[in-house]
DNA sequence: ATGAGTGTTGCAGGGAGTGCAACACGCCTG
DNA sequence: CAGGCGTGTTGCACTCCCTGCAACACTCAT
């Protein structure tokens, strides 16, 4: 919409890949060096990029601080956190909290497993949207039209033999998830990792977030993990109640 | 430098305080609504802001994902992390890693205390720069001129009776820290919390990061905490060695 | 020294962003 | 239901700000 801003913002993901010098930035933006320089300067003044001692640019600290502030302001996260901790204390496995936003699902909170063998994940990382249990719950609740549109647009990488293969299969799975009110991912992302997830709803019943328990099957089998479903659902419901009670106007997140 | 970009970027910290609608954004920027709208649209397209169901804007997920990616790419952090974990296993207290960047010191990694009573802090949060032990180490290593300039410019909030009161006192403290090669914060930020910190150096001997162990004095007295100084220094030195060995060109971070 | 490779700085032209005013919409009130 | 707010949105001229160029400064190699 705004050319200058558009270019400036395009620099950031570019630098996220790693530090780059002026020439590289200019090339990848397709603009003159002097133009890139001025954009970088503006970003620099705001602390969004940082200039290393070797003159190359990389993402700056302010960006990081901003993001932290943003995520801390998410109501659901704040409310859910103690519940996640309690669930973790109860079962010992990794507990995740995720939200949906603009074709992406991402973890906004996490409590680490207390077992030595842990699942790898990180807060802020976009989730494997076609297979993750939390993603299924969040997408299953979208309005029909949007759900179809999103499903069509997605890629369906075959992480494992049990990954969701394509849009129709995904939509079918979403229908099932929507019906039953909970979801699983049994080795669809990583062969040896299983998850079981439940939705968190706002006052209007819309799914605002989803939480899951994940564990590698060297620790517990899929069947054993499924026995945790009731406590996961109980926890999610408790969060829903608290969330609904506290927020007067229901936000999408 | 670039007006449009400048304005657009100013929106982000503004939204970090909380969601805002178009009018509020326009007012605080001092521009016409239509201008603000176009800036917000551009930010939106890049996923930096998100539009809630009530039409208000807040910071978007991409921002968060970007920041995570950025911090994961920091070499020091990657190298230091296992060492921090080991130190935590050894002593049980909260371990922090911090860097300096453009008049700010911020935590880039943290291992939580294993004691029930913990110090509050968060990754990405700017550190109380005039009192924190890690901040002292990072600032003490700046070139004389810059160090003075920064010290003059800072505020000196009196968090407690033992907080650094003003620039001269701070510079004196920095000189001492520089001399001895380690630093402490004994109740300068929170009355009941003590820290002991050591520097991490790059190939050229410049301080690139600092790490600390913190504990409330209900868990250990300041004196007891000081007995950990040798292991903190040992750990920091180990990180320094590994970091120097691995990075061919020394970066400021 | 000499050159290639950087990053940096005026400058003039024109395209891009700006503010205005008018419009569209939802929401409340009488 | 009409009317009146308070929003967010769009078209359109004007002009200002951004752009690309070319020349300059600087640091490394060889």
């Amino acid at each position: 919409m705004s050319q200058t801003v558009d270019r400036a913002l395009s620099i950031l993901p570019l630098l996220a890949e790693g530090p780059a010098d002026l020439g590289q930035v200019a090339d990848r933006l397709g603009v003159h060096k002097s133009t890139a320089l001025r954009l970088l300067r503006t970003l620099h003044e705001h602390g969004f990029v940082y200039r290393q001692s070797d003159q190359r640019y990389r993402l700056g600290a302010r960006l990081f601080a901003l993001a932290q502030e943003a995520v801390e302001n998410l109501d659901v996260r704040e409310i859910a956190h103690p519940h996640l901790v309690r669930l973790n204390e109860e079962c010992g496995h990794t507990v995740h909290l995720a939200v949906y936003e603009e074709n992406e699902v991402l973890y906004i909170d996490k409590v680490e497993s207390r077992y030595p063998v842990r699942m790898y994940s990180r807060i802020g990382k976009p989730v494997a949207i076609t297979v993750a249990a939390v993603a299924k719950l969040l997408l299953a609740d979208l309005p029909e039209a949007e759900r179809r549109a999103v499903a069509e647009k997605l890629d369906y990488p075959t992480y494992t033999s049990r990954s969701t293969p394509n849009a129709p299969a995904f939509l079918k799975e979403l229908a099932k998830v929507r019906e039953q009110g909970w979801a699983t991912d049994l080795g669809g992302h990583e062969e040896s990792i299983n998850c079981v997830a439940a939705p968190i709803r706002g006052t209007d019943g819309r799914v605002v977030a989803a939480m899951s328990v994940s564990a590698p099957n060297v620790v517990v089998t899929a069947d054993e993990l499924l026995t945790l479903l009731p406590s996961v659902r109980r926890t999610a419901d408790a969060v829903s109640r608290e969330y609904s009670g506290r927020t007067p106007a229901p936000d999408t997140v």
Side-chain angles (χ1 to χ4, degrees), chain A:
Chain A
M1 218 81 259
S2 165
Q3 189 189 67
T4 317
V5 178
D6 186 47
R7 286 171 171 172
L9 295 180
S10 304
I11 293 178
L12 297 176
L14 192 156
L15 290 183
E17 297 169 19
D21 63 31
L22 180 61
Q24 294 171 320
V25 172
D27 282 351
R28 293 202 42 187
L29 279 186
V31 300
H32 193 93
K33 276 190 306 175
S34 57
T35 305
L37 178 68
R38 282 181 281 247
L39 295 175
L40 281 165
R41 272 224 263 262
T42 311
L43 289 168
H44 179 87
E45 271 174 23
H46 284 260
F48 285 81
V49 308
Y50 177 72
R51 195 131 198 217
Q52 300 182 341
S53 52
D54 61 356
Q55 295 218 94
R56 290 189 305 165
Y57 295 90
R58 61 169 181 71
L59 295 180
R62 168 116 305 139
L63 188 65
F64 189 55
L66 256 185
Q68 287 300 324
E69 210 171 328
V71 82
E72 292 222 350
N73 285 339
L74 293 182
D75 293 349
V76 213
R77 185 181 193 265
E78 198 179 325
I79 293 171
H81 190 77
H83 295 271
L84 304 189
V85 170
R86 215 168 303 132
L87 182 57
N88 167 268
E89 278 164 3
E90 192 183 318
C91 71
H93 303 299
T94 304
V95 180
H96 278 111
L97 181 69
V99 295
Y100 170 79
E101 186 178 315
E102 316 260 336
N103 306 323
E104 275 185 2
V105 170
L106 67 156
Y107 295 130
I108 57 170
D109 203 4
K110 173 184 181 182
V111 184
E112 281 281 5
S113 167
R114 287 185 284 114
Y115 291 93
V117 182
R118 296 175 183 183
M119 156 187 192
Y120 173 76
S121 77
R122 68 172 199 226
I123 297 182
K125 181 175 182 158
V127 173
I129 197 168
T130 58
V131 295
V134 286
K136 292 175 189 171
L137 284 164
L138 291 163
L139 293 180
D141 185 64
L142 292 178
E144 165 85 26
E146 192 179 350
R147 190 165 71 237
R148 296 190 77 87
V150 172
E152 296 298 340
K153 201 161 36 182
L154 291 176
D155 287 333
Y156 292 86
T158 43
Y159 304 106
T160 76
S161 62
R162 271 171 288 182
S163 297
T164 311
N166 51 40
F170 191 45
L171 284 168
K172 200 174 150 201
E173 172 76 4
L174 292 186
K176 184 182 126 204
V177 164
R178 189 184 168 82
E179 183 67 28
Q180 70 190 7
W182 51 274
T184 60
D185 163 24
L186 303 175
H189 184 40
E190 297 271 356
E191 195 66 63
S192 64
I193 290 185
N194 303 310
C195 308
V196 44
I200 292 166
R201 298 173 189 276
T203 33
D204 54 358
R206 292 288 309 275
V207 175
V208 294
M211 55 180 293
S212 69
V213 168
S214 315
N217 58 20
V218 296
V219 176
V220 289
T221 65
D223 285 345
E224 286 165 343
L225 190 63
L226 277 172
T227 63
L228 292 176
L229 177 59
S231 24
V232 176
R233 296 187 77 178
R234 238 189 337 265
T235 307
D237 289 345
V239 176
S240 299
R241 268 193 303 280
E242 199 177 330
Y243 180 70
S244 305
R246 262 180 65 171
T247 52
D251 287 342
T252 307
V253 164

